[in-house]
Amino acid sequence: MKKLDVVLGLQWGDEGKGKVVDVLTPDYKVIARFQGGPNAGHSLKFDGDGFVLHTVPSGIFRSDSMNIIGNGVVVDPVILAEEIHSIEEKAGPITGRLKISKRAQLILPTHRMLDAASEAAKGKAKIGSTLKGIGPAYMDKTGRNGLRIGDILSPEFRRRYEALKTKHLGMLAQYDFQFDISDYERKWLAAVEELRRFEFIDSEIEVNRCLDDDMPVLAEGAQGSMLDIDFGTYPFVTSSNTMAAGVCTGLGVAPGRVGKVIGIFKAYCTRVGGGPFPTELSDETGEELRRIGNEYGATTGRPRRCGWLDMVALKYAVMMSGVTELIMMKADVLGGFKTIKVATAYEIGGRKVEHFPFECGEDLTPVYREFKGWDCDICKVRSYEDFPAELKDYISFIEQETGCPVKIISTGPDRSEIVIR
Ligand code: IMO
Ligand code: MG
């Protein structure tokens, strides 16, 4: 019996999950998303072309893969249909290799409005949401009001849609917020019709059957562990469980059926949106990281906040997901920095704290360990032996601290720019 492997981000998102899944896909038959929605922006690059996926699993460009949008995902039909069109322009029809769970929740046009109205009302305390309606859609899921993909097939669908919309309009009336959904709603209803050409499935049955049949399945996480609704920097988080436990509820796979947990992290840290970020650099070094790493959001285009690697947060994420191996992304970006720092603890009110704390406020100062940088470009390196000694030291330190091997090191955005040990 096969076990399901998981790929997930260990920081605040944008670790490079798209590229990694694309690189790993040849080893898997089925790729499944288990949580999140179009707040994700998974970038892939091959044959000189770049692609950003929001809802579709990152295996879609390999013609022999099956891609499943799991029950834990929230789906905006407009964004999904647009994404499908652009994929089909490049790769031809994908109707046969994309399936959607009947239990996945729908994001309504009014969910987007509620997201925007709620954020606007928060003023300075705003989360910096991607405004895709994620929070309100998950609220309706747990509030037991949501509409699901499988409901599209019901003759009652339109009536139920109108009823939920009316409820949302009542909620929106509480805000001082102007909006007009008519345009988006038209597109939304058309997109819902279009999605009918894809198979709506009981994905929990299908995924377990694939595993029974010895088919390798990869679960693709979205966002990152530090954005987890339970363990992230609440309330500056997303609305789903982004760690390995989310796979069990988001795909219907029992904990004992989870195999490898592959954790992805950047050689430094970024965060987009508001909220605590202990190692953030608000100086020239932070700007350098942003410039060299091209740290701008794939979904919203916002500049990302940049800082050094945070070992306290990384170890926390590794612990909670039971990560079995690591993949380090964007190692090339650190080339040229004379000194590289890693936070190994925090100081809070004169006290040294070595675990990720509940209180993550302004009185927190990271305790850094310094490493010598490597003054060379590693983009062309294809074997671990050819890495500069300083980079190997950096990797060894990370392995020692986390207790996990770093199996893959990415040296550039392209599919081919990778070192596998
Ligand atoms: P990928 O999958 C980075 C952040 C938002 C915001 C917070 C809540 O590309 O790594 P939401 O739209 O979920 O209500 O936003 O979470 N966020 C992400 N940051 N990468 C993502 O996805 C993110 N998805 C959400 O910026 O701070
Ligand atoms: Mg992103």
Side-chain angles (χ1 to χ4, degrees):
M1 184 185 81
K2 267 267 186 264
K3 291 207 171 186
L4 167 140
D5 294 343
V6 185
V7 159
L8 44 77
L10 299 176
Q11 295 162 326
W12 281 276
D14 305 326
E15 295 90 351
K17 295 174 288 286
K19 168 174 173 173
V20 167
V21 173
D22 178 52
V23 165
L24 297 179
T25 307
D27 295 340
Y28 294 91
K29 193 85 204 123
V30 179
I31 318 294
R33 275 277 305 267
F34 58 91
Q35 47 67 236
N39 47 351
H42 294 180
S43 305
L44 286 66
K45 199 166 171 221
F46 54 92
D47 306 339
D49 268 345
F51 249 95
V52 182
L53 298 173
H54 301 289
T55 315
V56 175
S58 302
I60 199 72
F61 288 105
R62 310 270 186 177
S63 56
D64 56 349
S65 69
M66 173 54 61
N67 294 268
I68 296 178
I69 297 172
N71 60 277
V73 177
V74 287
V75 177
D76 182 331
V78 177
I79 297 178
L80 178 54
E82 278 170 7
E83 201 171 321
I84 289 165
H85 295 161
S86 70
I87 296 167
E88 290 190 327
E89 243 168 62
K90 161 104 189 156
I94 56 164
T95 317
R97 60 176 198 264
L98 177 68
K99 298 183 182 185
I100 312 171
S101 169
K102 288 181 194 160
R103 295 173 193 274
Q105 296 275 329
L106 284 166
I107 301 175
L108 272 56
T110 37
H111 281 138
R112 290 169 63 103
M113 295 304 115
L114 283 165
D115 210 359
S118 152
E119 275 282 87
K122 281 189 179 132
K124 270 195 147 159
K126 71 171 187 264
I127 294 165
S129 160
T130 60
L131 304 180
K132 304 291 178 196
I134 306 295
Y138 276 116
M139 280 164 72
D140 268 341
K141 173 182 182 174
T142 50
R144 298 159 295 179
N145 296 310
L147 281 174
R148 298 181 290 176
I149 287 285
D151 295 327
I152 291 175
L153 305 177
S154 156
E156 288 290 293
F157 179 72
R158 189 59 192 263
R159 188 192 58 73
R160 291 181 56 195
Y161 165 76
E162 293 294 338
L164 188 52
K165 180 177 97 178
T166 305
K167 185 171 177 204
H168 290 161
L169 293 176
M171 292 158 75
L172 281 160
Q174 321 266 317
Y175 293 97
D176 177 20
F177 184 76
Q178 303 300 315
F179 63 94
D180 174 10
I181 58 160
S182 52
D183 225 29
Y184 203 80
E185 185 180 49
R186 209 173 314 113
K187 284 201 241 172
W188 193 88
L189 291 167
V192 161
E193 285 310 306
E194 189 182 344
L195 290 188
R196 283 168 174 265
R197 78 173 150 107
F198 292 91
E199 200 184 339
F200 299 163
I201 59 168
D202 295 310
S203 57
E204 64 283 16
I205 307 284
E206 186 120 344
V207 167
N208 280 287
R209 187 162 50 217
C210 289
L211 294 171
D212 288 342
D213 292 347
D214 256 346
M215 260 194 229
V217 182
L218 182 67
E220 173 182 5
Q223 289 78 56
S225 307
M226 301 313 288
L227 290 171
D228 183 274
I229 182 72
D230 280 281
F231 298 104
T233 44
Y234 192 89
F236 299 94
V237 293
T238 191
S239 299
S240 62
N241 281 119
T242 56
M243 44 169 206
V247 175
C248 300
T249 53
L251 285 176
V253 172
R257 293 201 99 168
V258 175
K260 285 197 265 186
V261 180
I262 304 165
I264 311 178
F265 69 102
K266 272 196 267 218
Y268 50 97
C269 268
T270 63
R271 169 160 208 172
V272 58
F277 181 3
T279 59
E280 179 170 17
L281 295 166
S282 313
D283 57 5
E284 276 164 32
T285 311
E287 269 168 42
E288 276 293 280
L289 282 171
R290 184 175 313 116
R291 188 181 59 78
I292 303 170
N294 190 27
E295 294 294 354
Y296 295 88
T299 299
T300 56
R302 291 177 290 177
R304 294 177 184 145
R305 301 155 67 192
C306 297
W308 296 120
L309 185 65
D310 185 337
M311 190 54 74
V312 184
L314 190 66
K315 280 159 76 172
Y316 186 61
V318 164
M319 171 186 83
M320 275 178 317
S321 284
V323 171
T324 57
E325 54 192 79
L326 292 167
I327 298 185
M328 182 161 97
M329 306 302 287
K330 292 203 152 179
D332 52 304
V333 174
L334 289 185
F337 284 89
K338 270 209 158 52
T339 308
I340 294 165
K341 296 186 191 181
V342 177
T344 53
Y346 304 140
E347 231 176 65
I348 305 175
R351 224 163 30 93
K352 193 171 167 190
V353 174
E354 294 190 7
H355 65 268
F356 201 83
F358 175 83
E359 310 83 0
C360 204
E362 268 160 22
D363 62 339
L364 181 156
T365 348
V367 179
Y368 285 114
R369 175 170 166 156
E370 294 194 0
F371 290 81
K372 203 165 164 282
W374 51 94
D375 197 10
C376 60
D377 188 356
I378 56 163
C379 286
K380 302 260 162 357
V381 177
R382 291 291 172 270
S383 108
Y384 186 77
E385 286 62 47
D386 298 334
F387 275 148
E390 293 84 359
L391 174 54
K392 288 186 196 162
D393 287 346
Y394 191 63
I395 294 170
S396 301
F397 174 74
I398 293 165
E399 291 184 321
Q400 257 166 33
E401 287 287 307
T402 56
C404 288
V406 177
K407 288 261 175 93
I408 296 179
I409 298 107
S410 170
T411 59
D414 197 85
R415 216 182 232 180
S416 63
E417 291 168 321
I418 203 125
V419 169
I420 302 174
R421 289 170 85 184

